[in-house]
């Protein structure tokens, strides 16, 4: 009898067949040769069944039916790919052995074993574990096949992850949706990511910019000129800055101190998927999912890069000879000059910046393969170019710099100049024009600058021209100027910076073991982070505005309700840290998957119990403010709303059920007694967090814009003792919604000649004071100071000058 090889996707199956059975007959759904039959899974053919498969009553979402805790999880075939699943079942009857050739990782294990369990295939199984699809690697992989039983702990970890996500996502989403009559999606990964966006949004909206001034001087010594920034306490008064500039302009100066230190900058790390997505977003504006799709095409279709869904930036010793073959291939391409200038001796097993087996788990870093690329699309060429240049950079020496630090003294005032002078470009000659333009922002030296104060950023000059001053020679301060600056709030997330935040989430966790667990994983996995971001767009929690990602009113409400219900762990990286820590232990055979699932069931029960006790949210909490033309923001159907496409094209029975109920609900919405909050929940599709990781469970999302005008946005709780109301923005001030009940609290928008922003009103209501800023007094003078709430009963505010 023959051996049945099951790959994850058709392209992979055909590539494997070309190596092990080059004369195999193409049967459309599989390839058959003398010894092997090769077929494929086309993604997730089998998933966890939805609640109504356990009991028809779960088709209706009722609070009394929660929590839903199956004793044993059922499996459900994907209706759209059921024919392929049945083909695998028929083929297996003709074979006495199986080879699991799905992706080498936790989710590849899950895909294969759900198929095997559903079809009840008893044959002994081997595991093909490879990181690229070149013929050499495939042959070597088949020479080194191991029993799939050796991967049982990894399989148990994969199942546990899938079932745990089902338990939390299904119960939490139904509980919050039923309680608040608005479709709310909750999940282990998507909710903490949404919380990152919410917290950043809060920081930005509550930020009150302060004006300050720096004094910059232009110095000359012989035929050399340079700029310096005044060193001293921050100046907040324009007059003071202008007086200082006038004091030093045109005056003789001297160099008080001058130091020069040499530094070296080594190549950036090899790409893992997240780093590739981050840099592609910054350079080309590609969304994370688009970069993943392009990389997957380069891997599966063109076979010119190694497995892209990796979390490692390093290689093992066995990769180094193959990297040498890649270098030889590149000499015959457009990269020939760079490949010819490469120093092979720089990449060896002792170079821990490249070869670090301890930091390679399932897959090594993304590398070019020895296969010469054919015709690539422009976008494929962009990503391939990034990977090739990063690879080549490690065969070049470090870039060398002189770091100059000059203190120039004039009229007893000191000005600082920092200059980073490039002596040897080193590996930077490998950078393309587009990368060289922003590469400096990714270097170690720039990282220190990012962490420095805003003042210090103004005195750094990067140059490839000679920089030299004579410490003993006189200097002239030619000119000086007072430059107005303003403190800046944190920047909104882009997909690139959000990916970085997801990767490093959990750094603030105090528990050292959890912090270590998060260090390895972050929020989500490299393979699922892009899908998580798409999911947040799809359910109406975030929306892209150019490169920026903005959280919607619905997204803000979801986090506030989750935290308000007393289940804030759902919105914290800590839960993911605990899960990943335990799943890693399960995958190594060091922990029990049964005990883990038992704990998750208890957690799901606790979530439901707490949400049942929560007060129902007002419908206005989910309403988006109206834009010009009557449009509402963030609630319309986004490009990513096609939930079935996110699961490889399948439509779940739950989606069909809800879609049909949505149509009838629209009719019900016209009934005169139907409330606005119920009608808003009518038009719905059902989705669930972490579906790309293998769970078939679904949670709801709403994409229907509210028909009524948005209610006033709540600014803060009313500070009036015993009131219990909330402040909202009016035309002339921020007043309490309980004014009809006698509350007279109001903060007027005009104070000391300056408009009070919602962020300032919130600070006054919550902390009783604003940050220091510049105000215009009645006599026309400007003065630095802050507003202080002096009467909590009425909202009276006073201006107090800074000392």
């Amino acid at each position: 009898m023959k051996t049945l090889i099951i790959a994850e996707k058709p392209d992979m199956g055909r590539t494997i067949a070309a190596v092990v059975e080059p004369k195999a007959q193409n049967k459309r759904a599989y390839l058959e040769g003398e010894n092997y039959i090769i077929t494929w899974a086309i993604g997730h053919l089998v998933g966890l069944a939805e609640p109504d498969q356990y009991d028809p009553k779960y088709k209706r979402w009722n609070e009394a039916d929660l929590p839903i805790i199956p004793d044993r999880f059922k499996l459900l075939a994907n209706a759209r790919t059921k024919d392929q699943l049945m083909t695998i079942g028929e083929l297996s009857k003709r074979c006495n052995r199986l080879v699991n050739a799905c992706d080498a990782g936790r989710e590849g294990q899950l895909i294969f074993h759900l198929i095997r369990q559903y079809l009840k295939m008893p044959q002994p199984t081997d595991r093909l574990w490879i990181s690229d699809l070149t013929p050499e690697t495939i042959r070597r992989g088949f020479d080194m096949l191991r029993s799939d039983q050796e991967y049982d702990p990894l399989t148990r970890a994969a199942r546990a992850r899938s079932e745990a996500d089902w338990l939390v996502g299904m119960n939490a989403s139904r509980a919050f949706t039923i309680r608040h009559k608005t479709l709310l999606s909750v999940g282990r990964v998507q909710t903490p990511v949404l919380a990152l966006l919410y917290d950043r949004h809060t920081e930005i909206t509550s930020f009150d910019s302060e004006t300050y001034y720096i004094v910059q001087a232009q110095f000359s010594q012989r035929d050399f000129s340079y700029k310096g920034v005044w060193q001293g306490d921050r100046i907040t008064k324009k007059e003071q800055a202008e007086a200082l500039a006038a004091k030093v302009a045109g005056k003789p100066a001297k160099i008080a101190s001058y130091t020069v230190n040499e530094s070296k900058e080594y190549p950036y790390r090899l790409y893992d998927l997240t780093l590739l997505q981050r840099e592609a977003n910054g350079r080309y504006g590609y969304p994370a999912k688009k970069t993943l799709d392009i990389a997957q095409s380069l891997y599966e279709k063109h076979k010119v890069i190694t497995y892209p869904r990796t979390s490692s930036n390093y290689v093992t010793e066995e990769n180094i000879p193959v990297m040498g073959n890649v270098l030889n291939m590149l000499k015959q391409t457009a990269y020939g000059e760079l490949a010819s200038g490469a120093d092979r001796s720089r990449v060896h097993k002792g170079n821990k910046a490249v070869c670090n087996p301890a930091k390679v788990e399932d897959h090594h870093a993304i590398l070019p393969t020895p296969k010469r690329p054919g015709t690539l699309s422009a976008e494929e060429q962009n990503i391939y170019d990034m990977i090739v240049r990063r690879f080549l950079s490690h065969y070049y020496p470090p870039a060398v710099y002189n770091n100059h630090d000059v203190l120039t003294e004039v009229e007893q005032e000191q000005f600082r100049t920092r200059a980073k002078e490039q002596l040897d470009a080193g590996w930077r000659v490998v950078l393309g024009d587009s990368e060289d333009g922003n590469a400096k922002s990714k270097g170690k030296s720039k990282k220190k600058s990012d962490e420095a104060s805003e003042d210090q950023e103004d005195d750094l000059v990067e140059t490839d021209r000679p920089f030299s001053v004579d410490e003993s020679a006189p200097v002239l301060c030619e000119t000086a100027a007072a430059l107005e600056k303003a403190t800046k709030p944190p920047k909104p997330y882009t997909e690139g910076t959000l990916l970085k935040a997801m990767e490093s989430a959990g750094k603030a966790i105090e528990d050292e073991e959890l912090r270590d667990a998060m260090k390895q994983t972050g929020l989500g996995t490299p393979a699922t982070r892009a899908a998580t971001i798409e999911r947040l767009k799809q359910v109406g929690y975030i929306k892209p505005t150019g490169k920026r990602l903005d959280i919607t009113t619905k997204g803000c409400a979801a986090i506030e309700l989750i935290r308000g219900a007393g289940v804030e762990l759902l919105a914290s990286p800590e839960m993911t840290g605990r899960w990943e820590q335990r799943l890693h232990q399960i995958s190594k055979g060091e922990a029990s998957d049964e005990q883990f699932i038992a704990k998750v069931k208890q957690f799901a029960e606790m979530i439901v119990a707490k949400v049942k006790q929560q007060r129902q949210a007002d419908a206005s909490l989910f309403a988006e403010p109206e834009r010009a033309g009557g449009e509402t923001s963030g609630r319309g159907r986004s490009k990513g709303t096609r939930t079935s496409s996110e699961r490889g094209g399948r439509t779940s029975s739950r989606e069909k059920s809800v879609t049909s109920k949505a149509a009838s609900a629209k009719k019900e919405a016209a009934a005169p007694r139907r409330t606005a909050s119920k009608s808003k929940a009518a038009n719905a599709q059902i989705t669930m967090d972490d579906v790309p990781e293998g769970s078939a469970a679904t949670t709801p999302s709403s994409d229907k814009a509210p028909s009524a005008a948005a209610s006033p946005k709540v600014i803060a709780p009313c500070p009036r003792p015993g009131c219990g109301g909330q402040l909202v923005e009016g035309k002339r001030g921020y007043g309490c919604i309980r004014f009809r009940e006698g509350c007279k609290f109001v903060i007027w928008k005009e104070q000391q000649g300056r408009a009070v922003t919602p962020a300032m009103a919130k600070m006054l209501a919550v902390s009783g004071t604003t940050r220091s800023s510049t105000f215009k007094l009645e006599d026309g003078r400007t003065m630095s100071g802050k507003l202080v709430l002096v009467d909590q009963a009425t909202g009276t505010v006073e201006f107090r000058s800074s000392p």
Side-chain angles (χ1 to χ4, degrees), residues 208-211 235-237 751-752 754 760 763-764 768-777 781-789 797-803:
D208 188 17
S209 180
E210 297 178 21
T211 301
I235 302 174
T236 57
K237 297 179 180 178
Q751 301 280 353
Q752 294 293 329
R754 179 167 178 173
M760 293 170 69
M763 293 178 71
L764 285 166
T769 180
T770 65
R771 294 189 178 94
S772 292
S773 190
T774 302
F775 290 82
K776 187 175 182 179
L777 305 182
R781 292 182 299 120
T782 58
M783 184 174 290
S784 178
K786 56 187 177 181
L787 298 178
V788 178
L789 179 66
V797 172
E798 285 184 359
F799 169 77
R800 293 183 183 174
S801 61
S802 299

Side-chain angles (χ1 to χ4, degrees), residues 625-667:
E626 286 195 355
R627 290 179 174 175
E631 294 180 359
T632 57
S633 60
R635 296 299 299 267
R637 185 184 300 274
S638 66
K639 292 180 181 178
T641 308
R642 300 184 300 275
T643 58
S644 60
S645 68
E646 288 298 307
R647 290 192 285 271
R650 76 178 190 272
T651 303
S652 67
S653 59
R654 164 49 77 203
E655 281 182 304
K656 292 175 182 175
S657 168
V658 172
T659 302
S660 62
K661 282 192 278 187
S664 60
K666 286 182 182 178
K667 296 178 182 177

Side-chain angles (χ1 to χ4, degrees), residues 10 30 77 82 101 107 149 178 195 204 233 282 354 374 460 531 551 770 796:
Y30 62 96
K82 200 164 187 177
E107 297 312 312
Q149 289 183 347
I178 294 166
I204 293 170
D233 294 336
V354 178
L460 175 63
I551 188 169
T770 65
T796 302

Side-chain angles (χ1 to χ4, degrees), residues 78-123:
N78 183 341
R80 292 178 64 91
T81 53
K82 200 164 187 177
D83 288 346
Q84 181 65 17
L85 182 64
M86 294 302 101
T87 296
I88 294 175
E90 292 301 316
L91 293 174
S92 69
K93 296 173 183 177
R94 298 167 45 203
C95 300
N96 62 354
R97 196 164 194 85
L98 307 176
V99 172
N100 174 5
C102 292
D103 282 353
R106 188 171 73 186
E107 297 312 312
Q109 278 304 103
L110 182 67
I111 287 171
F112 176 85
H113 280 276
L114 289 181
I115 294 170
R116 189 183 188 198
Q117 178 185 343
Y118 185 87
L119 295 175
K120 298 181 174 63
M121 298 189 295
Q123 296 92 331

